[in-house]
C-alpha cells in the first residue's frame, strides 16, 4: 500500500500590489487535495478536489493571475478574506458607548464587507507550517485605529489548515485596544462541477429554522422569519434550481439568495438565537451541505458562527472571464459565508459583534470535502 504523502506547503512569487509590494501564492498540499492562497486579500485562489472517478478539478471561481483580484470590477470578492465587518451595515453608521461612528459606504447607502479598502484589498504577512494536523498558512496584519472608519487598533490572525482527512479549516483570531465591532468571514464562490456551468444542478441544505428578511437595500428588517413553506426552507437537500424558481418577494429584492440564515444551535445550546452564548458564538457543528450529483463532490460546512449568508451568484452576468478564460454567467456559483448577522450593531436582538480590549475574538469554520460514489 502506497503511503500517503506528508502535508507540504509550497510557494511562488505572484506579482505585486499597486504599491509595488511583492505578493506570494502559497499552495497547501494534503492527502490529494490542494488549496492555493494569496497573501493579497487572503484570497483562496483555488481548491482542487477529486470527483467520484478521482479526477481533480478546481471547485472555486477566481482568476489565474493576481491582476484581476486588484479590482472589484473583475473580482467581486472571489475567495476573499472579509473584514472588518462581513456583510452590510445600514447607512455605514453604528454607535458604541454613545459615540456614533461613520464608515465608508460602498454599497449604495450602506457599508459592505469592510469598505472599499477592506481586508480583501490588503497585503497579509504569511507564516507557513506543517504538522500532523496538516499543511497550514497563518496570515496576519494590523488594522490601525480608524481604518475605513472602524475604531480600535486591531491585530488579526487567520489560519488556513488543509488536513489529511480532506478538510479546510479556517481559524480567525483578533484583539483590539479599544471597543470595536468585528465580523470576519471568507467569500469563496463554490462550484462543485468545476466552474463550467451554473450551480442550478447543485443540492443545498442549511440547518436553519429561520432567516433574516431584508428591505430594498438588503438590510435586515429585524425579523427572524420562519422558513417553513418558503423557498428558504433548505433543511432537506434542495435543488438550487427548484428553490430559485419559486416566486418570492425577497428574491425580487435580492435577485435570488443573498440572505442570512439563522443557524440552529447544537443540542446543548438549546433552540433559538437568544440561547447562544453571550458573545454570540456557538459550538462547532455541521450547518450546511452542498452536493453535486453529477460529479459526486460534496462540501459540508461546520462553524461556530450563528449565521451563514447564502449567495447564489445573482450579479454574475458573463462579463467577468475567470480561470481558463471561462465566462462566469448568472448563478455560476454559490457562496456559503459563515458569519454574525448583517447590521448587528444596529439590531440589539441580534448576536453581538462587539469586541473589548482584553478579549480575543475567536471563530472557526471547516469545509469538509468528500465524494458520493453512487452514480
Amino acid at each position: 500500500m502506497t503511503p500517503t504523502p506528508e502535508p507540504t506547503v509550497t510557494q511562488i512569487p505572484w506579482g505585486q500590489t499597486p504599491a509595488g509590494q511583492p505578493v506570494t501564492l502559497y499552495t497547501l498540499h494534503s492527502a490529494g487535495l490542494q488549496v492555493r492562497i494569496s497573501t493579497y486579500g487572503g484570497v483562496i485562489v483555488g481548491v482542487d478536489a477529486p470527483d467520484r472517478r478521482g479526477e481533480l478539478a478546481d471547485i472555486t471561481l477566481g482568476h489565474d493571475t493576481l491582476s484581476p483580484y486588484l479590482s472589484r470590477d473583475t473580482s467581486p470578492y472571489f475567495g476573499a478574506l472579509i473584514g472588518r465587518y462581513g456583510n452590510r451595515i445600514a447607512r455605514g453608521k453604528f454607535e458604541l458607548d454613545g459615540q456614533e461612528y461613520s464608515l465608508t459606504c460602498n454599497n449604495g447607502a450602506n457599508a459592505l464587507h469592510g469598505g472599499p479598502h477592506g481586508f480583501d484589498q490588503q497585503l497579509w504577512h504569511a507564516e507557513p507550517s506543517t504538522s500532523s494536523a496538516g499543511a497550514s498558512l497563518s496570515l496576519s496584519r494590523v488594522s490601525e485605529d480608524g481604518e475605513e472608519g472602524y475604531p480600535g487598533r486591531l491585530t488579526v490572525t487567520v489560519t488556513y489548515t488543509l488536513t489529511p482527512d480532506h478538510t479546510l479549516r479556517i481559524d480567525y483570531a483578533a484583539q483590539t485596544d479599544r471597543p470595536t465591532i468585528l465580523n470576519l468571514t471568507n467569500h469563496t464562490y463554490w462550484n462543485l462541477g468545476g466552474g463550467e456551468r451554473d450551480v442550478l444542478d447543485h443540492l443545498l441544505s442549511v440547518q436553519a429554522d429561520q432567516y433574516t428578511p431584508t428591505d430594498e437595500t438588503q438590510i435586515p428588517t429585524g425579523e427572524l422569519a420562519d422558513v417553513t413553506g418558503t423557498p428558504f426552507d433548505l433543511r432537506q437537500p434542495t435543488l438550487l434550481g427548484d428553490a430559485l424558481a419559486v416566486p418570492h418577494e425577497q428574491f425580487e429584492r435580492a435577485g435570488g439568495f443573498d440572505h442570512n440564515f439563522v443557524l440552529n444551535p447544537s443540542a446543548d445550546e438549546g433552540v433559538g438565537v437568544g440561547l447562544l452564548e453571550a458573545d454570540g458564538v456557538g459550538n462547532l457543528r455541521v450547518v450546511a451541505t452542498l452536493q453535486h450529483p453529477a460529479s459526486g463532490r460534496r462540501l459540508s460546512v461546520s462553524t461556530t458562527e450563528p449565521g451563514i449568508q447564502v449567495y447564489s451568484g445573482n450579479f454574475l452576468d458573463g462579463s467577468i472571464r475567470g480561470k481558463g478564460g471561462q465566462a462566469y454567467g448568472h448563478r455560476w456559483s454559490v457562496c456559503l459565508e459563515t458569519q454574525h448577522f448583517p447590521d448587528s450593531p444596529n439590531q440589539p436582538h441580534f448576536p453581538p459583534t462587539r469586541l473589548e480590549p482584553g478579549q480575543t475574538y475567536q471563530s472557526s469554520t471547516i469545509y469538509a470535502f468528500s465524494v458520493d460514489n453512487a452514480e
Side-chain angles (χ1 to χ4, degrees), residues 159-175:
T159 301
Y160 301 87
T161 302
L162 185 62
T163 72
D165 57 350
H166 293 179
T167 72
L168 175 61
R169 179 174 180 132
I170 308 178
D171 292 300
Y172 305 87
Q175 298 85 34

Side-chain angles (χ1 to χ4, degrees), residues 82-90 92-94 96 99-106 110-119 141 143-154 176-184 343 345 353:
I82 301 295
R84 289 190 188 190
Y85 199 97
N87 221 303
R88 295 172 176 85
I89 294 179
K93 296 183 183 299
F94 66 94
L96 283 179
Q99 180 176 346
E100 183 176 86
Y101 293 90
S102 295
L103 308 174
T104 308
C105 292
N106 60 327
N110 304 318
L112 175 66
H113 292 331
H117 302 287
F119 286 2
R141 71 176 298 262
S143 176
E144 296 293 348
D145 182 29
E147 184 175 273
E148 295 296 294
Y150 291 91
R153 187 176 191 267
L154 191 77
T176 183
D177 66 355
R178 290 177 58 193
T180 192
I181 61 171
L182 191 60
N183 186 25
L184 303 179
D343 200 37
T353 56

Side-chain angles (χ1 to χ4, degrees), residues 188-229:
T188 292
Y189 285 64
W190 300 102
N191 185 315
L192 302 187
E196 297 179 351
R197 56 154 292 175
D198 60 49
V199 295
L200 298 179
D201 61 346
H202 286 44
L203 293 165
L204 177 63
S205 62
V206 179
Q207 300 310 305
D209 297 334
Q210 300 172 311
Y211 77 103
T212 53
T214 63
D215 64 17
E216 291 79 3
T217 67
Q218 292 181 263
I219 293 295
T221 63
E223 179 187 5
L224 303 180
D226 189 344
V227 301
T228 304

Side-chain angles (χ1 to χ4, degrees), residues 87-365:
N87 221 303
R88 295 172 176 85
I89 294 179
R91 302 173 303 282
K93 296 183 183 299
F94 66 94
E95 284 191 8
L96 283 179
D97 302 326
Q99 180 176 346
E100 183 176 86
Y101 293 90
S102 295
L103 308 174
T104 308
C105 292
N106 60 327
N107 183 240
N110 304 318
L112 175 66
H113 292 331
H117 302 287
F119 286 2
D120 65 299
Q121 298 284 299
Q122 304 295 333
L123 188 66
W124 293 72
H125 173 73
E127 293 186 8
S129 63
T130 58
S131 69
S132 59
S136 295
L137 183 69
S138 289
L139 299 179
S140 60
R141 71 176 298 262
V142 173
S143 176
E144 296 293 348
D145 182 29
E147 184 175 273
E148 295 296 294
Y150 291 91
R153 187 176 191 267
L154 191 77
T155 303
V156 185
T157 300
V158 180
T159 301
Y160 301 87
T161 302
L162 185 62
T163 72
D165 57 350
H166 293 179
T167 72
L168 175 61
R169 179 174 180 132
I170 308 178
D171 292 300
Y172 305 87
Q175 298 85 34
T176 183
D177 66 355
R178 290 177 58 193
T180 192
I181 61 171
L182 191 60
N183 186 25
L184 303 179
T185 190
N186 177 269
H187 207 298
T188 292
Y189 285 64
W190 300 102
N191 185 315
L192 302 187
E196 297 179 351
R197 56 154 292 175
D198 60 49
V199 295
L200 298 179
D201 61 346
H202 286 44
L203 293 165
L204 177 63
S205 62
V206 179
Q207 300 310 305
D209 297 334
Q210 300 172 311
Y211 77 103
T212 53
T214 63
D215 64 17
E216 291 79 3
T217 67
Q218 292 181 263
I219 293 295
T221 63
E223 179 187 5
L224 303 180
D226 189 344
V227 301
T228 304
T230 77
F232 294 87
D233 191 346
L234 303 176
R235 290 173 290 189
Q236 298 298 321
T238 303
L239 199 64
L240 276 169
D242 289 348
L244 288 163
V246 178
H248 198 281
E249 180 188 22
Q250 287 292 309
F251 285 172
E252 294 175 8
R253 291 179 177 180
F257 286 116
D258 193 3
H259 293 81
N260 172 67
F261 285 73
V262 180
L263 295 172
N264 298 338
S266 57
D268 58 351
E269 289 173 324
V271 178
V273 72
L275 295 181
L276 289 169
E277 297 177 18
D279 61 359
V281 175
N283 293 332
L284 192 63
R285 74 277 192 210
V286 178
V287 298
T289 302
L290 185 67
Q291 302 166 251
H292 184 234
S295 68
R297 294 188 183 93
R298 179 191 300 261
L299 173 66
S300 295
V301 184
S302 302
T303 191
T304 58
E305 289 293 296
I308 189 169
Q309 187 85 2
V310 176
Y311 171 61
S312 53
N314 308 329
F315 300 112
L316 296 175
D317 60 6
S319 61
I320 296 175
R321 290 193 173 273
K323 297 167 185 174
Q326 174 67 61
Y328 292 148
H330 193 50
R331 311 227 188 280
W332 220 257
S333 72
V334 59
C335 299
L336 301 170
E337 305 157 61
T338 57
Q339 62 180 8
H340 273 56
F341 301 175
D343 200 37
S344 287
N346 298 310
Q347 309 267 2
H349 61 294
F350 284 2
T353 56
R354 179 174 175 134
L355 181 65
E356 300 280 358
Q359 293 180 331
T360 297
Y361 172 101
Q362 291 183 311
S363 174
S364 297
T365 292

